[in-house]
């Protein structure tokens, strides 16, 4: 019986070539893909060439300063992700057949997620299911949601502005943002400041701090106090925003409950307004139609149970 080209490809294709292609497509460079896979750059390039020869199409256009998937590469990326998910499910199904909760849970978190409820969930989940493993990725909120929508992450805890329609979400907790400066800043340590004292000072912030995005309330706060509209430093990670504030680059927003210790240690100085700080909802997001392994299902149920058992008033952190 003569095999069709597709059947021949399915028979002969090496999964490791697809694995390299996924790393390239998702990391955006040969160097980053090599670091992700623990391979040297020539090995990554050779694997891509072998895959392109096997597929019969160029998959990635590469040139100095340019890296982009071809239309054929974009089509293959979606299918390769499905193959990866199927392989993971197969391994997890074998473990599940032993009637134990096993498998990996991949949790995509925004960088400023600090919650006793999450800490409790992790503790209880590990105690109940010691053979399950957890992987935590710190991503921008948009990236975390996309990761869940594409089946790369089990669930996400992050900010929301325009979540993918396929996902379900619920408020995990609420946090409040204040404005801060660091020791080198001229306002550091000064008491009885007013909003007028902040006018014109340089700002640093999160990349989601813009109108129409997840931190729009913080954007409005910056405008209200009259900070310079030119943001001199931005990051998607709380630690890097905090670093720039402490270094004196400018005034920036941080969640009040996250930086309590920094205030006590005089690494940060709280600035006005002190009343009615902006409230930001942090959400739990998951894909209701995803084929979760037993560990993913158990961890999601654990989080949902804790949310149901904990009144929202006890999930408000800040003032």
């Amino acid at each position: 019986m003569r095999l069709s080209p597709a059947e021949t490809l399915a028979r002969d294709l090496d999964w490791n070539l697809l694995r390299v292609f996924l790393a390239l497509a998702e990391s955006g460079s040969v160097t980053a893909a090599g670091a992700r896979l623990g391979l040297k750059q020539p090995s990554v390039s050779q694997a891509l060439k072998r895959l392109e020869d096997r597929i019969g199409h160029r998959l990635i256009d590469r040139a100095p300063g340019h890296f982009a998937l071809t239309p054929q590469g974009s089509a293959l990326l979606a299918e390769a992700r499905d193959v990866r998910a199927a392989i993971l499910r197969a391994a997890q199904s074998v473990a599940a057949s032993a009637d134990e909760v096993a498998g990996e849970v991949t949790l995509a978190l925004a960088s400023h997620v600090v919650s006793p409820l999450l800490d409790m969930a992790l503790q209880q989940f590990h105690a109940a299911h010691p053979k399950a493993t957890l992987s935590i990725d710190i991503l921008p909120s948009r990236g975390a949601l996309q990761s869940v929508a594409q089946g790369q992450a089990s669930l996400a805890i992050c900010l929301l502005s325009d979540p993918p329609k396929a996902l379900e979400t619920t408020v995990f907790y609420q946090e409040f943002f204040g404005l801060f400066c660091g020791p080198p800043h001229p306002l550091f340590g000064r008491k009885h400041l007013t909003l007028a004292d902040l006018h014109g000072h340089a700002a640093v912030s999160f990349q989601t701090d813009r109108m129409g995005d997840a931190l729009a309330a913080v954007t409005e706060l910056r405008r209200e106090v009259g900070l310079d509209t030119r943001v001199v430093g931005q990051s998607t990670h709380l630690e890097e925003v905090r670093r720039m504030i402490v270094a004196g680059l400018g005034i920036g927003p941080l969640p009040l409950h996250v930086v309590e210790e920094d205030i006590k240690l005089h690494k940060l100085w709280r600035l006005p307004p002190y009343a009615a700080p902006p409230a930001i909802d942090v959400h739990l997001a998951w894909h209701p139609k995803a084929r979760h392994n037993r560990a993913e299902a158990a961890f999601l149920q654990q989080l949902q149970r804790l949310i149901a058992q904990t009144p929202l008033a006890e999930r408000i952190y800040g003032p």
Side-chain angles (χ1 to χ4, degrees):
M1 176 180 174
R2 186 172 181 177
L3 297 178
S4 69
E7 290 171 325
T8 302
L9 179 64
R11 183 192 63 186
D12 297 339
L13 185 61
D14 183 351
W15 156 246
N16 285 317
L17 299 182
L18 280 181
R19 188 169 64 94
V20 172
F21 172 71
L22 278 168
L24 280 165
E26 293 173 353
S27 60
S29 76
V30 174
T31 302
R36 179 171 170 177
L37 297 168
L39 297 174
K40 295 182 178 180
Q41 293 183 37
S43 298
V44 174
S45 297
Q46 290 167 12
L48 174 62
K49 179 65 167 57
R50 288 171 56 201
L51 179 61
E52 289 179 330
D53 290 343
R54 181 70 69 181
I55 295 289
H57 292 281
R58 187 171 180 81
L59 301 174
I60 299 176
D61 283 329
R62 291 187 293 154
H66 177 74
F67 184 101
L69 294 179
T70 65
Q72 293 81 9
S74 296
L76 180 61
L77 176 59
E79 301 300 332
R81 282 173 170 158
D82 287 344
V83 171
R84 176 174 59 190
I87 291 172
L88 289 172
R89 286 196 304 269
Q92 292 155 359
S93 295
V94 172
S97 67
D99 197 29
E100 60 188 15
V101 174
E104 182 175 22
V105 180
T106 301
L107 184 58
L109 297 183
S111 68
H112 57 80
V113 170
V114 176
S115 167
L117 206 64
L118 176 58
D119 297 341
M120 184 185 302
L122 292 171
Q123 177 186 358
Q124 293 179 355
F125 178 75
H126 178 66
H129 311 297
K131 292 191 176 181
T133 58
L134 280 156
S135 175
I136 298 178
D137 293 332
I138 303 300
L139 299 169
S141 290
R142 288 180 185 273
L145 292 168
Q146 185 179 37
S147 185
V148 175
Q150 294 176 345
Q152 297 169 264
S154 314
L155 50 90
I157 301 176
C158 58
L159 306 182
L160 289 185
S161 54
D162 186 22
K165 294 180 180 179
L167 302 187
E168 288 191 13
T169 65
T170 188
V171 174
F172 193 58
Y173 68 88
Q174 189 177 75
E175 61 186 1
F176 291 81
F177 277 72
L179 294 177
F180 297 88
C181 66
H185 198 276
L187 297 183
F188 188 87
R190 288 180 54 184
K191 299 180 179 179
H192 311 299
L193 293 170
T194 67
L195 294 183
D197 294 311
L198 278 64
H199 186 80
H201 280 280
V204 301
S205 197
F206 296 86
Q207 289 184 359
T208 48
D209 174 0
R210 54 196 173 201
M211 295 308 295
D213 214 326
L215 287 179
V218 174
T219 308
E220 190 59 39
L221 174 63
R222 286 197 295 106
R223 292 185 178 182
E224 176 188 339
V225 303
L227 291 177
D228 192 331
T229 55
R230 183 175 61 94
V231 177
V232 300
Q234 282 188 324
S235 178
T236 58
H237 283 217
L238 179 143
E239 280 303 319
E240 301 312 317
V241 174
R242 173 189 170 278
R243 186 196 307 277
M244 289 186 282
I245 296 173
V246 171
L249 272 66
I251 293 170
L254 291 168
L256 297 177
H257 74 292
V258 175
V259 297
E260 287 179 348
E261 195 64 24
D262 286 331
I263 296 172
K264 293 177 183 177
L265 296 174
H266 301 288
K267 293 181 179 180
L268 291 170
W269 187 257
R270 174 88 185 274
L271 300 169
Y274 306 112
I280 304 294
D281 288 338
V282 178
H283 291 77
L284 170 66
W286 67 96
H287 199 313
K289 294 184 179 179
R291 292 181 58 183
H292 289 139
N293 63 48
R294 294 185 68 186
E296 291 172 318
F299 189 63
L300 177 58
Q301 290 169 5
Q302 179 80 17
L303 287 172
Q304 292 172 325
R305 185 163 52 249
L306 284 173
I307 290 172
Q309 293 172 351
T310 310
L312 181 58
E314 297 177 21
R315 293 183 275 124
I316 297 176
Y317 311 136

